[in-house]
Structures are given as C-alpha cells and as structure tokens.
Amino acid sequence: MDRIFSATGDETQAGLPRRYEALAFIIEQIVRWQTSPTYREIADRLDVSRGRAEQLVTQLIAEGRIERVPGSGRRLRVIDIDGSRVVLDDVLRRLQWTVAPAMGEMLAPLAQVQLPMMPEIEQLYGIE
C-alpha cells in the first residue's frame, strides 16, 4: 500500500502533524480491537523508530488528547474525545475523505409551523 506520509520529519506530505497520524492510529486500534497499540505497533504503522513513536505519544499526552494508564505498554486512553474528533475530521478532510457530520451537527427538523385546521365534522346520532 502506498503511503502518503513521509518517513521523516514532523509533518506528513499532506501537511499533517505526525502526532495526529499517531492519534488516528491509536483511536483506530482502540475502536477495532478494544486495546491501544504498543509503541512498536505505532512505530511500524508510521514507519518511524520506537523512540519516535514514544515522542509522538508524549506530545499527544502534553496536548491533553490521550493519557498513559500505568502498568502496561498497551494502556493509552483517549481523554479529549471532542478535540480528537476535530483533529481527525481535519486529517481526513486534508486526505480528501468525505466526513459525515457528528450526530449533534445533523440538520435540525423543519421549523414548527401551524398546520391548517380541518373543518369540524358533525357527528349525527341515530343515523345508521
């Protein structure tokens, strides 16, 4: 598979910060496998060294997007869901993907308007 991401530098060829590529991969792994990736898996995916993967994770932690849960290499947790969605939307749009609106951004229902009244129908008793 051809990568649009450069193997070196702080930005991808699409002008995206590498840490956001790492964030996208971390979220993908958590959603798909219910566990966060290891530094080695992040490094392999981004085609960087393990040390560089750790630096990217540290940058995301400093931004407040994720946190490290003590006790395991697979313990990264996304803590800024809304902010991360904004970042991911930007990443996908720069890659020319179509992004569906968030549920809260869906179109509002039509404005409430007064519907025309139906004429009253008289009830005639005793007619069969």
Side-chain angles (χ1 to χ4, degrees):
M1 172 172 92
D2 291 333
R3 289 184 184 264
I4 62 160
F5 304 107
S6 63
T8 61
D10 286 336
E11 291 191 353
T12 64
Q13 290 175 3
L16 302 168
R18 295 294 296 221
R19 67 186 179 278
Y20 292 161
E21 183 185 359
L23 178 63
F25 178 64
I26 291 166
I27 291 172
E28 174 190 354
Q29 290 295 105
I30 292 171
V31 169
R32 183 175 290 181
W33 306 110
Q34 286 74 48
T35 187
S36 62
T38 63
Y39 292 125
R40 174 57 45 211
E41 290 168 337
I42 295 169
D44 290 346
R45 176 66 174 262
L46 275 58
D47 197 22
V48 297
S49 70
R50 185 180 183 284
R52 180 66 177 132
E54 287 183 42
Q55 288 176 346
L56 295 170
V57 168
T58 300
Q59 290 172 7
L60 291 169
I61 291 169
E63 282 185 14
R65 303 225 183 262
I66 63 174
E67 68 181 353
R68 218 180 257 124
V69 179
S72 172
R74 287 187 177 266
R75 301 303 300 175
L76 299 173
R77 182 184 312 150
V78 179
I79 55 176
D80 181 12
I81 302 295
D82 292 334
S84 295
R85 173 151 177 103
V86 170
V87 168
L88 291 175
D89 284 354
D90 183 47
V91 168
L92 294 174
R93 282 191 176 95
R94 287 186 190 202
L95 295 175
Q96 298 179 348
W97 285 49
T98 301
V99 179
M103 292 301 290
E105 298 172 7
M106 300 296 266
L107 296 175
L110 296 175
Q112 302 257 345
V113 295
Q114 181 75 31
L115 295 174
M117 297 294 291
M118 299 224 10
E120 289 187 33
I121 299 175
E122 291 184 31
Q123 185 175 5
L124 301 174
Y125 295 99
I127 299 180
E128 295 181 28

